[in-house]
């Protein structure tokens, strides 16, 4: 069953089925695992919003809003933004009408506290997290991915100089925006982010495994292969 070749059209067919909407998914994994890359693809196919707390904070920092000033210092150092700030931002975002269709969370929750708050928010809405997709990637590969990552300053699209290069050097394929290297993709900040992940975020794997909704995915494979594995899992969840 797992080995069956998955056709690209499968998701479109599933999407049309009743109940496909309203999926509440979490894409989980260490820094650089490919959460953003996969979330963008999967959310687009499923027609649900891709909610990345990291993207929201970077946007606020770029716009120099009050929130942006507060979070930038933590992000640049590779530390977690304090729970109270994160939870307020997510709660606000989940109230927006597009989330009625379901959502795909990327980079949230990152602490047990955040996971518990999410459960409470969903409970109030009579909903629950349907699945947590855990992208497993080795540390060497993470460093290879993060040190060559480039991000579009305008639309946030993610590239890799070797594994997923833009067609024109330094320019976004989608909008022509300038590509830049994230401030937290420096060696020192990468090391800190990995440590913070192990100490504060990895315990969530057990939190969700106990609930029986965690699915492990080998994230070391190519972008296309990982995408196929995720599609297969989502299909099985609905079948
Ligand atoms: P966030 O933006 O969430 O960063 P992160 O978790 O460190 O994850 P990344 O975005 O670095 O990696 P990714 O898994 O999305 O990988 P990507 O797809 O880009 O958070 C940043 C900061 O914000 C945090 O440190 C914290 O300060 C703060 N923050 C955010 N949320 C928070 C929260 N809930 N609580 C507290 N603080 C919070 O891929 C990486 C690279 O690899 C790319 O170049 C990509 O092209 C390439 N790639 C992807 N997949 C593959 C593949 N299969 N093969 C080869 N290359 C690949
Ligand atoms: Mg990301
Ligand atoms: Zn762009």
């Amino acid at each position: 069953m797992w080995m069956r070749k998955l056709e690209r059209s499968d998701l479109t067919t599933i999407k049309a089925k009743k109940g496909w909407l309203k999926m509440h998914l979490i894409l989980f994994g260490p820094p650089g695992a490919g959460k953003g890359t996969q979330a963008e693809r999967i959310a687009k196919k499923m027609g649900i919003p891709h909610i990345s707390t990291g993207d929201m904070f970077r946007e606020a920092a770029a716009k120099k809003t009050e929130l942006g000033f507060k979070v930038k210092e933590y992000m640049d150092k590779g530390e977690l933004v304090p729970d109270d700030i994160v939870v307020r931002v997510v709660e606000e975002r989940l109230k927006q009408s597009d989330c009625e269709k379901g959502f795909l969370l990327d980079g949230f929750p990152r602490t047990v506290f955040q996971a518990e708050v999410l459960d409470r928010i969903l409970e109030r809405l009579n909903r629950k997290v349907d699945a947590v997709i855990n992208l497993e990637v080795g540390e060497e590969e993470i460093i290879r991915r993060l040190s060559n990552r480039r991000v579009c300053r305008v639309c946030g699209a993610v590239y890799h100089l070797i594994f997923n290069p833009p067609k024109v050097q330094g320019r976004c394929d989608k909008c022509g925006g300038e590509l830049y290297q994230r401030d937290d993709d420096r060696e020192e900040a990468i090391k800190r982010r990995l440590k913070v992940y192990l100490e504060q975020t990895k315990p969530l794997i057990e939190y969700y495994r106990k609930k029986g909704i965690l699915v492990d995915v080998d994230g070391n494979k190519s972008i296309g292969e990982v995408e196929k594995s995720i599609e297969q899992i989502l299909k099985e969840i609905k079948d």
Side-chain angles (χ1 to χ4, degrees):
M1 176 73 172
W2 280 100
M3 300 310 291
R4 186 176 68 83
K5 195 168 177 303
L6 189 84
E7 299 298 331
R8 287 216 147 255
S9 57
D10 281 8
L11 256 186
T12 324
T13 320
I14 306 159
K15 212 176 92 179
K17 275 191 194 171
K18 207 173 166 225
W20 179 244
L21 293 168
K22 300 229 174 197
M23 282 278 258
H24 305 94
L25 304 169
I26 296 175
L27 209 43
F28 188 85
K35 301 184 294 293
T37 302
Q38 296 299 333
E40 197 188 318
R41 290 161 182 245
I42 300 290
K44 198 169 162 195
K45 280 188 192 160
M46 292 178 69
I48 56 176
H50 165 200
I51 300 175
S52 157
T53 38
D55 287 351
M56 286 158 84
F57 294 152
R58 271 184 294 280
E59 204 183 311
K63 285 187 184 152
K64 299 190 178 350
T65 63
E66 202 186 322
L67 171 71
F69 278 116
K70 272 193 215 155
V71 299
K72 189 166 175 13
E73 199 186 325
Y74 296 101
M75 294 178 82
D76 288 353
K77 280 194 280 192
E79 300 291 342
L80 291 187
V81 171
D83 278 341
D84 59 326
I85 299 179
V86 180
V87 160
R88 219 175 313 132
V89 168
V90 172
E91 198 155 18
E92 224 23 69
R93 179 65 185 88
L94 295 184
K95 275 186 202 157
Q96 289 174 24
S97 61
D98 59 341
C99 292
E100 281 165 23
K101 295 184 280 190
F103 50 70
L104 177 52
L105 293 172
D106 152 15
F108 178 91
R110 249 177 158 98
T111 61
V112 171
F113 177 82
Q114 292 178 16
E116 287 169 351
V117 171
L118 177 64
D119 284 346
R120 282 202 294 277
I121 295 173
L122 291 178
E123 214 174 281
R124 279 204 300 272
L125 298 167
N126 220 359
R127 305 190 201 174
K128 60 176 174 44
V129 177
D130 295 294
V132 180
I133 295 155
N134 177 30
L135 290 178
E136 296 183 299
V137 180
E139 195 168 318
E140 251 177 62
E141 177 67 12
I142 286 175
I143 291 164
R144 212 180 357 251
R145 289 183 186 182
L146 291 182
S147 45
N148 281 309
R149 171 168 56 191
R150 294 293 183 273
V151 182
C152 174
R153 213 178 270 289
V154 181
C155 76
V158 180
Y159 298 88
H160 190 280
L161 296 183
I162 300 156
F163 304 131
N164 183 24
K167 291 192 185 99
V168 178
Q169 197 190 340
R171 290 283 151 201
C172 176
D173 292 353
K174 290 176 188 148
C175 75
E178 183 205 356
L179 301 185
Y180 78 106
Q181 184 162 30
R182 265 168 53 173
D183 289 335
D184 60 350
D185 278 349
R186 289 168 295 106
E187 197 183 333
E188 216 175 288
I190 292 175
K191 280 194 189 140
R192 186 66 202 144
R193 283 157 66 202
L194 283 170
K195 192 160 187 285
V196 166
Y197 170 78
L198 292 176
E199 289 170 1
Q200 302 188 50
T201 306
K202 206 174 171 200
L204 282 178
I205 292 181
E206 273 321 295
Y207 180 88
Y208 287 117
R209 210 184 289 286
K210 272 190 202 143
K211 287 180 184 280
I213 55 171
L214 190 97
V215 196
D216 296 318
V217 169
D218 180 1
N220 294 293
K221 296 186 181 154
S222 72
I223 295 176
E225 283 170 315
V226 176
E227 185 182 359
K228 281 191 178 174
S229 307
I230 298 174
E231 286 184 0
Q232 181 70 51
I233 287 161
L234 294 177
K235 183 177 179 301
E236 299 215 349
I237 291 171
K238 286 320 291 176
D239 281 352

